C-alpha cells in the first residue's frame, strides 16, 4: 500500500498540473459582468449566460498557473425538476483566450427519454480542448469537473458512455496511473470514474 501511495504521489508531482486542493482556489462570482467577454461569447459561455439568467450561479477556479476555469451552474427548472447542468469554460488570461470547454450533468433529464443510465451520478456530457493539445488541459479539466461533482453533488465524476477515442485513451491513462477506475459493473457499459480523495489517501496524515 505504501508503495502505491508513493507511486501516485510521484506521478502527481511529475505532472505539469498537480491534482490537489492546494493547487487552485474557488470563488463565487456575483455578476456576469465579471466574466471576460471571450468566455461569454464561447459556445459554453453562451449556454452559460442563459443558465445565469435562469437564476444560476457562477464560480471560478483559479489554477496554480493562474489560468481560470469558469463554471456556470443551472439549477433544475420547473419543467425538468431533477436535472442539473454545469458549463465549464477554461480561460487563459495571458492572451484572453478560451482553451477548453465542457459540460457536467447530473439527474434525470425528462426531455431526453433515451437515458444513458447515468442519471444518478455526475458525468461528462461534452469536453473539448481548444488549440493547446498535449499540455495536460484535458486531464486538468476532468479533475476540475471532478472537484465540482464532489462539491455540488457529493459524488465523483463519471465518464460519458459515448467516449471518443482520445477521451477513452485519457480515461484509460488515468486508470493506469491509479487516479480513476473502470466501473462497468454499475452500468453494463464502458464507463469510468474518478477516485475520491479517500481512495487516493489525500488529506490523510
Amino acid at each position: 500500500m505504501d508503495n502505491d501511495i508513493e507511486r501516485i504521489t510521484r506521478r502527481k508531482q511529475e505532472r505539469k498540473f498537480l491534482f490537489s486542493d492546494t493547487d487552485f482556489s474557488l470563488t463565487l462570482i456575483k455578476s456576469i459582468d465579471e466574466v471576460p467577454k471571450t468566455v461569454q461569447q464561447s459556445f459554453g459561455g453562451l449556454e452559460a449566460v442563459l443558465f445565469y439568467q435562469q437564476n444560476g450561479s457562477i464560480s471560478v477556479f483559479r489554477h496554480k498557473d493562474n489560468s481560470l476555469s469558469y463554471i456556470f451552474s443551472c439549477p433544475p427548472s420547473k419543467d425538468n425538476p431533477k436535472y442539473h447542468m454545469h458549463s465549464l469554460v477554461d480561460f487563459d488570461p495571458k492572451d484572453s483566450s478560451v482553451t477548453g470547454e465542457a459540460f457536467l450533468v447530473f439527474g434525470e433529464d425528462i426531455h431526453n427519454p433515451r437515458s444513458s443510465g447515468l442519471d444518478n451520478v455526475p458525468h461528462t456530457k461534452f469536453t473539448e480542448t481548444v488549440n493547446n493539445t498535449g499540455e495536460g488541459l484535458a486531464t486538468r479539466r476532468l479533475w476540475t469537473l471532478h472537484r465540482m461533482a464532489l462539491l455540488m453533488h457529493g459524488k465523483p465524476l463519471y465518464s460519458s458512455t459515448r467516449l471518443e477515442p482520445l477521451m477513452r485513451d485519457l480515461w484509460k491513462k488515468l486508470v493506469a496511473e491509479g487516479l480513476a477506475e473502470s466501473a462497468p459493473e454499475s452500468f453494463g457499459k464502458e464507463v469510468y470514474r474518478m477516485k475520491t480523495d479517500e481512495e487516493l489517501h489525500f488529506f490523510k496524515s
Side-chain angles (χ1 to χ4, degrees):
M1 180 65 72
D2 289 339
N3 289 336
D4 289 340
I5 297 173
E6 290 175 4
R7 174 176 54 81
I8 293 171
T9 302
R10 183 174 63 254
R11 288 186 177 178
K12 276 162 39 58
Q13 291 172 342
E14 290 171 353
R15 286 184 170 276
K16 184 175 182 179
F17 302 114
L18 302 184
F19 296 154
S20 74
D21 278 352
T22 61
D23 295 313
F24 60 74
S25 59
L26 175 64
T27 305
L28 190 65
I29 290 180
K30 296 181 180 180
S31 170
I32 190 71
D33 295 331
E34 297 179 47
V35 178
K37 292 298 183 183
T38 50
V39 173
Q40 294 186 39
Q41 293 167 359
S42 69
F43 172 74
L46 288 173
E47 295 283 341
V49 171
L50 294 176
F51 293 171
Y52 181 74
Q53 293 172 345
Q54 298 170 9
N55 297 318
S57 62
I58 308 173
S59 52
V60 59
F61 281 85
R62 182 177 295 276
H63 301 284
K64 192 173 183 179
D65 65 349
N66 290 322
S67 63
L68 306 170
S69 293
Y70 287 90
I71 306 282
F72 300 77
S73 299
C74 183
S77 61
K78 290 182 179 180
D79 63 342
N80 208 1
K82 298 181 179 179
Y83 192 61
H84 301 255
M85 190 166 184
H86 310 280
S87 171
L88 177 149
V89 180
D90 287 328
F91 177 74
D92 188 346
K94 292 195 297 292
D95 58 3
S96 298
S97 63
V98 169
T99 59
E101 299 173 338
F103 289 101
L104 166 69
V105 296
F106 175 67
E108 179 186 1
D109 181 4
I110 62 176
H111 298 309
N112 182 12
R114 290 187 289 181
S115 172
S116 65
L118 298 172
D119 291 345
N120 294 322
V121 296
H123 60 281
T124 56
K125 186 175 182 180
F126 167 83
T127 178
E128 180 181 48
T129 298
V130 180
N131 297 326
N132 298 309
T133 58
E135 295 188 8
L137 295 176
T139 304
R140 189 182 70 181
R141 191 175 309 111
L142 286 183
W143 193 260
T144 304
L145 292 174
H146 176 48
R147 305 316 302 175
M148 289 300 297
L150 291 171
L151 287 169
M152 292 195 163
H153 304 294
K155 296 182 178 182
L157 178 71
Y158 284 72
S159 72
S160 167
T161 56
R162 299 177 180 178
L163 291 171
E164 296 292 333
L166 288 176
M167 190 53 57
R168 179 181 291 109
D169 290 345
L170 175 56
W171 277 101
K172 288 183 176 180
K173 180 180 179 182
L174 293 173
V175 170
E177 294 181 346
L179 297 170
E181 69 177 11
S182 177
E185 69 282 353
S186 302
F187 309 100
K189 301 176 182 179
E190 184 182 19
V191 176
Y192 301 90
R193 76 167 180 87
M194 300 292 281
K195 289 188 176 180
T196 64
D197 298 334
E198 289 76 15
E199 290 171 319
L200 291 173
H201 306 275
F202 285 178
F203 317 126
K204 289 188 177 182
S205 57

